[in-house]
Amino acid sequence: AQTVTQSQPEMSVQEAETVTLSCTYDTSESDYYLFWYKQPPSRQMILVIRQEAYKQQNATENRFSVNFQKAAKSFSLKISDSQLGDAAMYFCAYSRGEHYGGSQGNLIFGKGTKLSVKP
Amino acid sequence: GAVVSQHPSRVICKSGTSVKIECRSLDFQATTMFWYRQFPKQSLMLMATSNEGSKATYEQGVEKDKFLINHASLTLSTLTVTSAHPEDSSFYICSARGVVNTEAFFGQGTRLTVV
């Protein structure tokens, strides 16, 4: 079975600084997707960034980037120039690829990291 | 991104009654919808996957007779919690996906309290 582990229950960063959130996963499959979702106090799940396993290039979305280490099964999220609005729960998630009958919707989530941003 | 609307956002019901939660895709046809459950300060757990016009596929440990899922149209899926008990109190979130190889978009969630 696939698992997702986030070992940092809470993290804190100073406004305008950079922070990295860790995520490791376990799978024997070769076709999969990895995601970072943000859940602010409103509890609306927001997709931050997505990585396809077969792509070697790390995904980036403006201030958000990932370090995808496939062999190590590591998928960390780097937030640059942190803003007060970045404060939220961040969930790392895995989904099986279409080759295994999965989709980008049936997600396995880690336990989350609560990020605080200090002004 | 696409919009998924979930209703109601909050509901309180008496123990033993049933409650229905709706998940609608407002601007796209959702071929697949997903239902998650989130306990306080915990992660989301997938409960079931439903494809339009088909029976839902439930994850292991989820009682299909208790959590009835209907996906009768391409824009609406419903989750009915039958004979609710206090331990069913939780945050329920749906997500919807259109054509293959696209991301799933989440609804706002429903906080269910059973008293």
Side-chain angles (χ1 to χ4, degrees):
Chain A
Q2 297 78 33
T3 59
V4 177
T5 302
Q6 292 179 252
S7 58
Q8 305 156 316
E10 296 187 22
M11 290 284 284
S12 181
V13 63
Q14 204 72 32
E15 194 176 6
E17 296 295 307
T18 296
V19 64
T20 299
L21 307 184
S22 301
C23 173
T24 59
Y25 61 96
D26 190 27
T27 184
S28 59
E29 298 167 343
S30 57
D31 180 24
Y32 56 88
Y33 297 87
L34 295 166
F35 307 81
W36 279 98
Y37 279 91
K38 172 184 178 181
Q39 188 179 43
S42 68
R43 304 192 77 170
Q44 172 75 55
M45 296 292 286
I46 302 165
L47 176 65
V48 175
I49 202 163
R50 171 179 51 195
Q51 177 79 43
E52 297 166 80
Y54 67 87
K55 289 188 176 179
Q56 292 185 338
Q57 188 171 5
N58 290 325
T60 62
E61 286 288 341
N62 301 313
R63 298 182 296 108
F64 300 88
S65 62
V66 297
N67 184 3
F68 176 43
Q69 299 292 324
K70 193 172 184 178
K73 295 180 181 174
S74 171
F75 184 62
S76 61
L77 174 70
K78 185 172 81 171
I79 306 174
S80 304
D81 185 25
S82 297
Q83 300 176 359
L84 295 177
D86 294 335
M89 281 292 289
Y90 285 83
F91 291 99
C92 179
Y94 171 102
S95 75
R96 308 176 80 183
E98 284 76 18
H99 177 75
Y100 295 97
S103 71
Q104 296 182 50
N106 44 352
L107 301 164
I108 299 169
F109 286 91
K111 292 189 175 182
T113 296
K114 183 177 181 180
L115 177 66
S116 301
V117 181
K118 297 178 180 177
Chain B
V3 179
V4 175
S5 177
Q6 195 171 333
H7 179 80
S9 57
R10 294 174 180 267
V11 59
I12 301 173
C13 71
K14 291 186 177 181
S15 187
T17 63
S18 295
V19 61
K20 180 184 287 188
I21 302 169
E22 294 186 347
C23 181
R24 293 181 183 273
S25 56
L26 299 186
D27 52 2
F28 68 101
Q29 293 186 325
T31 54
T32 309
M33 288 187 170
F34 308 88
W35 288 95
Y36 294 84
R37 182 173 182 176
Q38 185 178 28
F39 289 104
K41 297 185 179 181
Q42 292 191 28
S43 189
L44 285 76
M45 298 294 293
L46 180 66
M47 299 174 65
T49 301
S50 70
N51 292 295
E52 185 266 337
S54 306
K55 288 185 178 180
T57 302
Y58 290 81
E59 296 299 305
Q60 192 172 11
V62 177
E63 300 175 60
K64 59 180 68 177
D65 294 332
K66 181 165 190 61
F67 299 100
L68 301 179
I69 293 172
N70 183 279
H71 191 169
S73 79
L74 284 171
T75 59
L76 175 63
S77 176
T78 60
L79 167 66
T80 301
V81 183
T82 63
S83 187
H85 291 285
E87 56 265 32
D88 298 325
S89 298
S90 190
F91 192 67
Y92 293 88
I93 311 176
C94 72
S95 68
R97 196 193 72 167
V99 298
V100 178
N101 289 334
T102 64
E103 69 177 276
F105 298 91
F106 283 85
Q108 311 96 310
T110 297
R111 180 180 297 282
L112 169 64
T113 303
V114 184
V115 298

